[in-house]
Amino acid sequence: MSLDLGLPALERAAPRLMRAEPLLTMRDISKSFGNVRALRQVDATVYPGEVMGIVGESGSGKSTLLRMMNLEDTPDGGDYTLRLPGRENENLFDLARYERRMLCARHIGIVYQNPHLGLLMRHSSSGNVAERLLIAGERSFDVLRDKAREALDASEFPLDRMDARPIELSGGMQQRVQLAKAIALEPALLLLDEPTTGLDVSVQALVLDTLKRLQRDRQITMVLVSHDLGVIRTMADRVMVMRHGEVVEQGLADQVFQDPQHPYTQQLVHAKL
Amino acid sequence: MTTTPLLRVQGLTKTFRMYHLDSMLHAFEGVSFDLHEGEFLLLRGHNGAGKSTLLRTIWRSYLPVGGHVFYRSNHGEIDLANAADVDIALLRREEIGFVTQFLNARPRVAAQDIVSEPLRLAGVPQAEALDQARHWLDQFGVRPELWRAYPSTFSGGEQQKVNLARALIQPQKLLLLDEPTASLDAGARAALLRRLAELKAHGVAIIGVFHHPGDVAQLIDREIDLSTRVVADETGEEEHVAL
C-alpha cells in the first residue's frame, strides 16, 4: 500500500463540542529583525484554563512570540486579541504604549528565565511584588503588604524571607518571587519563558509543582516556552512546535510526543534522552 | 442490542510515517466495530498486531490516517478521529479514561495527590477528593504509610496500583485499558476486577488489552482478534470483520 500522508493540518476542522471561546487568539503574526524573519504568519489559540507549551530550538522564534503575547514588541503584521471584559474585539497591538502597560500589569503575568529581567534585584522581594500592585493603582500600604504576602505564599516562597532582596536569594527562590509578582493581580494569562532552565533538577521539580498547583487551584491560563521536552510534557495540555519562525506542528501534548507528524518534530522527539 | 452504540468505529486505519527511515509502518487497516454502554470488548492478537496502537488511536495519542470513531458524548456525537484537540482534551477530562501500564508520576507529588487530581480538576473539594483517593489506594492495597510518599520511588507493582486508583476514581463513559493487570499482585487484581464489574454495571463501556485475558474472563462480552480480524460474541459465534 502506498499512502502519501503529506504534512499534517495544523488544526483539525470539525464541529466543536467545546463551548468556551479562546482566551488568546493571534492571527498571522510576522516579525523581521533586519534580514532575519523571526516569526512567519504564526497563528495561536489558547483556551481558558489550559497550558499551551511552545517548543523549538534556539532561534525558532518561541521567545519572540511570547514577548508579543506580553505586548513588549509589535509585529510587522497580525492581530492579537484577549477575551477580557470590554476588550473582546480589540487588536491589542493597536493600543498606545501607556494602555499596553496598564493592560499587561493588570491582566498578564510573566516569568523570565533570567530573573534580572523580571525583578529589581536590590529591592526587597515583597517590594518587587508590591510594585506590580502599585502600577495597577493600589495605594494602601496595608493592602499592598497583605496582597504581596498572599502572592508570595501562593508561590510557596518562605514568608520569613519576604524582605530579603532577590540578589541574596537562590535561583529557585528568585523564580518564586517572579511568579508571585506575576500572579499578584490574578492575571488572565501567565507567560512562562524557560522558567526552570538553569535550576537544578530538585528545585525545578518544586517550581513545576507550584505552577501545576496554581493552574489547578486558580485555573490560570498559561503559555510555557521551554526547550526542555520533559518540562513541556509534564506541564502542557497542548503543544506548538516552532522552527525558523513557523509553527510546524501543534497538537495534544501526548500526541505530539508519541506520534509526531512533522519530520522536525520526529527529530526533536527522537533526540530526547 | 437495539440501543444506539456508544462508539462506532468505522474503517479505522493507522500508519506511522517514519521520516528518518523514509518508510511507513502499517499498524492496522480498516478496523470496524460497535460498542454499546456496559459492554466489555477484549482485543486479542499477537505482539505487534496493533492492540495497544488501536487503543491509543481511539484515545488520540496517535492520529488516525483514515476512518471514523463516532462517539456519543454528553455534549453530542463527535468523530474522535477528526475532532479538534480541545474537544479531545474536554472528553478526556469528563468522559473517557485510559489506563496504561505506566504511571506518569510527576516528581515530588504525593500518591494521594496524584490519585485525587482528576476529582480536584472536576471541582470536588480537596478534603472529599483526598478521602476518596485514600479509599481507592486502600482498595488496591497501597499501604497507608505510602499515601503521602512520592510514587516515583515505588516498585512497578505499587506504581501500577496508584495508576489504577487515579484512572478509576472517577466514573467515565468509556474506558480504555492497556494491560492494566501487568505487574499486579492477586489482591490488587481482584480489586481491579471488582471495580471494573461495578463500572460495567453502571453502563461504562470498556475496551481492553490483557496479557492474561483469563483475569477478566467473566466480564468479556465480545472479542476482536486483530491478527485474524475475527469477532466472537459471548455465545462463541464468530464472524469476520469487514476490512
Side-chain angles (χ1 to χ4, degrees), chain A residues 179-201:
Chain A
L179 187 57
K181 181 177 170 182
I183 62 165
L185 284 166
E186 304 197 355
L189 179 64
L190 179 59
L191 305 173
L192 305 157
D193 190 3
E194 305 269 11
T196 59
T197 304
L199 301 179
D200 64 59
V201 285

PDB file of all heavy atoms in Angstrom, chain A residues 179-201:
ATOM      1  N   LEU A 179       7.295  34.719  40.121  1.00  0.00           N
ATOM      2  CA  LEU A 179       5.973  34.110  39.996  1.00  0.00           C
ATOM      3  C   LEU A 179       4.957  34.867  40.859  1.00  0.00           C
ATOM      4  O   LEU A 179       3.837  35.155  40.418  1.00  0.00           O
ATOM      5  CB  LEU A 179       6.066  32.639  40.412  1.00  0.00           C
ATOM      6  CG  LEU A 179       4.838  31.777  40.196  1.00  0.00           C
ATOM      7  CD1 LEU A 179       4.415  31.792  38.726  1.00  0.00           C
ATOM      8  CD2 LEU A 179       5.121  30.347  40.643  1.00  0.00           C
ATOM      9  N   ALA A 180       5.361  35.211  42.094  1.00  0.00           N
ATOM     10  CA  ALA A 180       4.463  35.946  42.992  1.00  0.00           C
ATOM     11  C   ALA A 180       4.068  37.278  42.361  1.00  0.00           C
ATOM     12  O   ALA A 180       2.900  37.683  42.373  1.00  0.00           O
ATOM     13  CB  ALA A 180       5.143  36.175  44.342  1.00  0.00           C
ATOM     14  N   LYS A 181       5.074  37.954  41.787  1.00  0.00           N
ATOM     15  CA  LYS A 181       4.794  39.228  41.123  1.00  0.00           C
ATOM     16  C   LYS A 181       3.825  39.015  39.961  1.00  0.00           C
ATOM     17  O   LYS A 181       2.901  39.798  39.747  1.00  0.00           O
ATOM     18  CB  LYS A 181       6.120  39.806  40.630  1.00  0.00           C
ATOM     19  CG  LYS A 181       5.993  41.129  39.936  1.00  0.00           C
ATOM     20  CD  LYS A 181       7.372  41.650  39.538  1.00  0.00           C
ATOM     21  CE  LYS A 181       7.199  42.850  38.620  1.00  0.00           C
ATOM     22  NZ  LYS A 181       8.486  43.372  38.162  1.00  0.00           N
ATOM     23  N   ALA A 182       4.037  37.926  39.227  1.00  0.00           N
ATOM     24  CA  ALA A 182       3.217  37.661  38.041  1.00  0.00           C
ATOM     25  C   ALA A 182       1.769  37.348  38.395  1.00  0.00           C
ATOM     26  O   ALA A 182       0.854  37.693  37.652  1.00  0.00           O
ATOM     27  CB  ALA A 182       3.816  36.503  37.228  1.00  0.00           C
ATOM     28  N   ILE A 183       1.542  36.695  39.542  1.00  0.00           N
ATOM     29  CA  ILE A 183       0.157  36.275  39.857  1.00  0.00           C
ATOM     30  C   ILE A 183      -0.527  37.188  40.857  1.00  0.00           C
ATOM     31  O   ILE A 183      -1.684  36.973  41.194  1.00  0.00           O
ATOM     32  CB  ILE A 183       0.109  34.830  40.419  1.00  0.00           C
ATOM     33  CG1 ILE A 183       0.886  34.730  41.737  1.00  0.00           C
ATOM     34  CG2 ILE A 183       0.643  33.830  39.401  1.00  0.00           C
ATOM     35  CD1 ILE A 183       0.594  33.463  42.512  1.00  0.00           C
ATOM     36  N   ALA A 184       0.187  38.229  41.342  1.00  0.00           N
ATOM     37  CA  ALA A 184      -0.356  39.067  42.419  1.00  0.00           C
ATOM     38  C   ALA A 184      -1.725  39.648  42.063  1.00  0.00           C
ATOM     39  O   ALA A 184      -2.591  39.780  42.913  1.00  0.00           O
ATOM     40  CB  ALA A 184       0.624  40.187  42.757  1.00  0.00           C
ATOM     41  N   LEU A 185      -1.916  39.987  40.809  1.00  0.00           N
ATOM     42  CA  LEU A 185      -3.190  40.588  40.407  1.00  0.00           C
ATOM     43  C   LEU A 185      -4.118  39.572  39.737  1.00  0.00           C
ATOM     44  O   LEU A 185      -5.047  39.949  39.033  1.00  0.00           O
ATOM     45  CB  LEU A 185      -2.934  41.769  39.470  1.00  0.00           C
ATOM     46  CG  LEU A 185      -2.435  43.017  40.202  1.00  0.00           C
ATOM     47  CD1 LEU A 185      -1.872  44.021  39.222  1.00  0.00           C
ATOM     48  CD2 LEU A 185      -3.569  43.645  40.995  1.00  0.00           C
ATOM     49  N   GLU A 186      -3.861  38.281  39.972  1.00  0.00           N
ATOM     50  CA  GLU A 186      -4.675  37.220  39.379  1.00  0.00           C
ATOM     51  C   GLU A 186      -4.880  37.451  37.887  1.00  0.00           C
ATOM     52  O   GLU A 186      -5.991  37.712  37.426  1.00  0.00           O
ATOM     53  CB  GLU A 186      -6.004  37.096  40.130  1.00  0.00           C
ATOM     54  CG  GLU A 186      -5.748  36.866  41.594  1.00  0.00           C
ATOM     55  CD  GLU A 186      -6.953  36.339  42.350  1.00  0.00           C
ATOM     56  OE1 GLU A 186      -8.037  36.240  41.761  1.00  0.00           O
ATOM     57  OE2 GLU A 186      -6.786  36.026  43.532  1.00  0.00           O
ATOM     58  N   PRO A 187      -3.804  37.331  37.131  1.00  0.00           N
ATOM     59  CA  PRO A 187      -3.871  37.634  35.698  1.00  0.00           C
ATOM     60  C   PRO A 187      -4.710  36.603  34.952  1.00  0.00           C
ATOM     61  O   PRO A 187      -4.874  35.473  35.403  1.00  0.00           O
ATOM     62  CB  PRO A 187      -2.408  37.527  35.263  1.00  0.00           C
ATOM     63  CG  PRO A 187      -1.816  36.522  36.200  1.00  0.00           C
ATOM     64  CD  PRO A 187      -2.501  36.780  37.521  1.00  0.00           C
ATOM     65  N   ALA A 188      -5.243  37.036  33.800  1.00  0.00           N
ATOM     66  CA  ALA A 188      -5.969  36.100  32.935  1.00  0.00           C
ATOM     67  C   ALA A 188      -4.978  35.168  32.253  1.00  0.00           C
ATOM     68  O   ALA A 188      -5.302  34.031  31.940  1.00  0.00           O
ATOM     69  CB  ALA A 188      -6.758  36.887  31.892  1.00  0.00           C
ATOM     70  N   LEU A 189      -3.758  35.658  32.047  1.00  0.00           N
ATOM     71  CA  LEU A 189      -2.774  34.912  31.255  1.00  0.00           C
ATOM     72  C   LEU A 189      -1.426  34.971  31.954  1.00  0.00           C
ATOM     73  O   LEU A 189      -0.962  36.050  32.347  1.00  0.00           O
ATOM     74  CB  LEU A 189      -2.671  35.564  29.870  1.00  0.00           C
ATOM     75  CG  LEU A 189      -1.682  34.969  28.866  1.00  0.00           C
ATOM     76  CD1 LEU A 189      -2.090  33.545  28.492  1.00  0.00           C
ATOM     77  CD2 LEU A 189      -1.624  35.836  27.611  1.00  0.00           C
ATOM     78  N   LEU A 190      -0.811  33.798  32.123  1.00  0.00           N
ATOM     79  CA  LEU A 190       0.522  33.733  32.728  1.00  0.00           C
ATOM     80  C   LEU A 190       1.492  33.202  31.683  1.00  0.00           C
ATOM     81  O   LEU A 190       1.310  32.111  31.140  1.00  0.00           O
ATOM     82  CB  LEU A 190       0.497  32.816  33.954  1.00  0.00           C
ATOM     83  CG  LEU A 190       1.822  32.610  34.708  1.00  0.00           C
ATOM     84  CD1 LEU A 190       2.376  33.939  35.218  1.00  0.00           C
ATOM     85  CD2 LEU A 190       1.633  31.643  35.875  1.00  0.00           C
ATOM     86  N   LEU A 191       2.525  33.997  31.383  1.00  0.00           N
ATOM     87  CA  LEU A 191       3.517  33.624  30.375  1.00  0.00           C
ATOM     88  C   LEU A 191       4.784  33.172  31.087  1.00  0.00           C
ATOM     89  O   LEU A 191       5.255  33.835  32.013  1.00  0.00           O
ATOM     90  CB  LEU A 191       3.817  34.833  29.470  1.00  0.00           C
ATOM     91  CG  LEU A 191       2.593  35.473  28.806  1.00  0.00           C
ATOM     92  CD1 LEU A 191       2.993  36.756  28.071  1.00  0.00           C
ATOM     93  CD2 LEU A 191       1.918  34.499  27.843  1.00  0.00           C
ATOM     94  N   LEU A 192       5.327  32.052  30.653  1.00  0.00           N
ATOM     95  CA  LEU A 192       6.497  31.473  31.327  1.00  0.00           C
ATOM     96  C   LEU A 192       7.575  31.221  30.284  1.00  0.00           C
ATOM     97  O   LEU A 192       7.404  30.381  29.399  1.00  0.00           O
ATOM     98  CB  LEU A 192       6.097  30.164  32.013  1.00  0.00           C
ATOM     99  CG  LEU A 192       4.934  30.274  32.992  1.00  0.00           C
ATOM    100  CD1 LEU A 192       4.252  28.930  33.199  1.00  0.00           C
ATOM    101  CD2 LEU A 192       5.422  30.811  34.334  1.00  0.00           C
ATOM    102  N   ASP A 193       8.675  31.944  30.369  1.00  0.00           N
ATOM    103  CA  ASP A 193       9.746  31.825  29.379  1.00  0.00           C
ATOM    104  C   ASP A 193      10.907  31.054  29.995  1.00  0.00           C
ATOM    105  O   ASP A 193      11.685  31.625  30.746  1.00  0.00           O
ATOM    106  CB  ASP A 193      10.186  33.218  28.919  1.00  0.00           C
ATOM    107  CG  ASP A 193      11.116  33.135  27.709  1.00  0.00           C
ATOM    108  OD1 ASP A 193      11.362  32.024  27.212  1.00  0.00           O
ATOM    109  OD2 ASP A 193      11.590  34.205  27.268  1.00  0.00           O
ATOM    110  N   GLU A 194      10.985  29.768  29.729  1.00  0.00           N
ATOM    111  CA  GLU A 194      12.033  28.911  30.304  1.00  0.00           C
ATOM    112  C   GLU A 194      12.143  29.116  31.816  1.00  0.00           C
ATOM    113  O   GLU A 194      13.234  29.387  32.327  1.00  0.00           O
ATOM    114  CB  GLU A 194      13.389  29.222  29.650  1.00  0.00           C
ATOM    115  CG  GLU A 194      13.404  29.125  28.134  1.00  0.00           C
ATOM    116  CD  GLU A 194      13.777  27.749  27.617  1.00  0.00           C
ATOM    117  OE1 GLU A 194      13.838  26.796  28.422  1.00  0.00           O
ATOM    118  OE2 GLU A 194      13.969  27.614  26.403  1.00  0.00           O
ATOM    119  N   PRO A 195      11.039  28.959  32.558  1.00  0.00           N
ATOM    120  CA  PRO A 195      11.049  29.354  33.976  1.00  0.00           C
ATOM    121  C   PRO A 195      11.958  28.497  34.851  1.00  0.00           C
ATOM    122  O   PRO A 195      12.351  28.941  35.925  1.00  0.00           O
ATOM    123  CB  PRO A 195       9.584  29.179  34.394  1.00  0.00           C
ATOM    124  CG  PRO A 195       9.045  28.151  33.460  1.00  0.00           C
ATOM    125  CD  PRO A 195       9.740  28.407  32.155  1.00  0.00           C
ATOM    126  N   THR A 196      12.287  27.277  34.391  1.00  0.00           N
ATOM    127  CA  THR A 196      13.099  26.414  35.256  1.00  0.00           C
ATOM    128  C   THR A 196      14.454  26.090  34.633  1.00  0.00           C
ATOM    129  O   THR A 196      15.214  25.304  35.191  1.00  0.00           O
ATOM    130  CB  THR A 196      12.368  25.086  35.558  1.00  0.00           C
ATOM    131  OG1 THR A 196      12.096  24.416  34.322  1.00  0.00           O
ATOM    132  CG2 THR A 196      11.071  25.326  36.286  1.00  0.00           C
ATOM    133  N   THR A 197      14.753  26.705  33.487  1.00  0.00           N
ATOM    134  CA  THR A 197      16.045  26.438  32.849  1.00  0.00           C
ATOM    135  C   THR A 197      17.159  26.995  33.736  1.00  0.00           C
ATOM    136  O   THR A 197      17.081  28.113  34.220  1.00  0.00           O
ATOM    137  CB  THR A 197      16.094  27.089  31.454  1.00  0.00           C
ATOM    138  OG1 THR A 197      14.990  26.601  30.706  1.00  0.00           O
ATOM    139  CG2 THR A 197      17.385  26.764  30.736  1.00  0.00           C
ATOM    140  N   GLY A 198      18.153  26.178  33.984  1.00  0.00           N
ATOM    141  CA  GLY A 198      19.261  26.637  34.817  1.00  0.00           C
ATOM    142  C   GLY A 198      19.099  26.291  36.290  1.00  0.00           C
ATOM    143  O   GLY A 198      20.034  26.441  37.059  1.00  0.00           O
ATOM    144  N   LEU A 199      17.912  25.835  36.680  1.00  0.00           N
ATOM    145  CA  LEU A 199      17.736  25.413  38.082  1.00  0.00           C
ATOM    146  C   LEU A 199      18.138  23.945  38.197  1.00  0.00           C
ATOM    147  O   LEU A 199      17.978  23.179  37.247  1.00  0.00           O
ATOM    148  CB  LEU A 199      16.271  25.558  38.496  1.00  0.00           C
ATOM    149  CG  LEU A 199      15.677  26.952  38.397  1.00  0.00           C
ATOM    150  CD1 LEU A 199      14.205  26.920  38.828  1.00  0.00           C
ATOM    151  CD2 LEU A 199      16.451  27.947  39.256  1.00  0.00           C
ATOM    152  N   ASP A 200      18.635  23.530  39.361  1.00  0.00           N
ATOM    153  CA  ASP A 200      18.948  22.115  39.464  1.00  0.00           C
ATOM    154  C   ASP A 200      17.651  21.304  39.559  1.00  0.00           C
ATOM    155  O   ASP A 200      16.588  21.838  39.858  1.00  0.00           O
ATOM    156  CB  ASP A 200      19.943  21.817  40.594  1.00  0.00           C
ATOM    157  CG  ASP A 200      19.389  22.135  41.943  1.00  0.00           C
ATOM    158  OD1 ASP A 200      18.362  21.550  42.292  1.00  0.00           O
ATOM    159  OD2 ASP A 200      19.986  22.979  42.644  1.00  0.00           O
ATOM    160  N   VAL A 201      17.736  20.001  39.242  1.00  0.00           N
ATOM    161  CA  VAL A 201      16.504  19.241  38.981  1.00  0.00           C
ATOM    162  C   VAL A 201      15.532  19.202  40.151  1.00  0.00           C
ATOM    163  O   VAL A 201      14.324  19.219  39.956  1.00  0.00           O
ATOM    164  CB  VAL A 201      16.781  17.792  38.521  1.00  0.00           C
ATOM    165  CG1 VAL A 201      17.247  17.770  37.091  1.00  0.00           C
ATOM    166  CG2 VAL A 201      17.759  17.091  39.429  1.00  0.00           C
TER     167      VAL A 201
END
